[in-house]
Amino acid sequence: ATIAERANAFRRQCELAETMKLKEINLDKLMLIRSEKVAEAEREYHEAKSEQATKTFETIVKLMNEEIGRFQEQKTLDMGIAFHEFAKGQARLANGIADAWRSLLPKLEACSSSQ
């Protein structure tokens, strides 16, 4: 859901960037021809510049980055626990194999000495 929300916020932010560029071009054009609409175009440009879409997108990106960091920390801890449990299992297995060889060794020696 967060990724979908980020995608929507990014789309809105891209639309805003496009709108701002068009308003900037319009403002530049009006300034060149010294139109009486310059003040209104400047106001629209500055309103678009402080648009909520950009703030929302930036907030979502910040939250996602924090969440990714928390997720990575938790997964690192989980992997550490998994490796620790795996190592303990391997140690138990190695001990079991060593015990099996120790119990088999006298039988092998008995077989080789009886020949």
Side-chain angles (χ1 to χ4, degrees):
T2 303
I3 292 173
E5 187 177 342
R6 179 197 175 277
N8 287 333
F10 181 69
R11 181 185 47 75
R12 286 191 304 271
Q13 201 250 349
C14 287
E15 290 170 355
L16 172 65
E18 211 174 292
T19 300
M20 284 182 55
K21 191 64 180 166
L22 291 174
K23 288 185 183 295
E24 184 179 6
I25 290 168
N26 186 45
L27 178 60
D28 289 344
K29 180 185 82 172
L30 291 173
M31 289 175 86
L32 284 174
I33 61 171
R34 303 205 184 274
S35 171
E36 64 278 351
K37 296 181 181 179
V38 170
E40 181 183 345
E42 281 181 330
R43 183 186 52 75
E44 288 178 2
Y45 175 73
H46 291 294
E47 282 177 6
K49 196 172 185 179
S50 65
E51 184 71 36
Q52 186 63 35
T54 299
K55 293 174 185 173
T56 301
F57 177 71
E58 290 169 354
T59 300
I60 290 171
V61 168
K62 180 182 172 226
L63 290 173
M64 284 184 72
N65 288 338
E66 290 171 1
E67 185 61 19
I68 287 170
R70 187 201 62 76
F71 176 80
Q72 287 175 333
E73 286 177 18
Q74 184 61 48
K75 287 302 146 196
T76 300
L77 289 173
D78 292 347
M79 290 297 292
I81 291 168
F83 282 131
H84 181 74
E85 291 300 317
F86 177 74
K88 287 187 338 187
Q90 289 295 305
R92 284 191 297 273
L93 178 63
N95 284 334
I97 292 171
D99 289 342
W101 278 109
R102 276 191 286 277
S103 68
L104 185 60
L105 190 57
K107 295 174 187 171
L108 290 174
E109 287 176 349
C111 286
S112 65
S113 62
S114 66
Q115 291 179 0

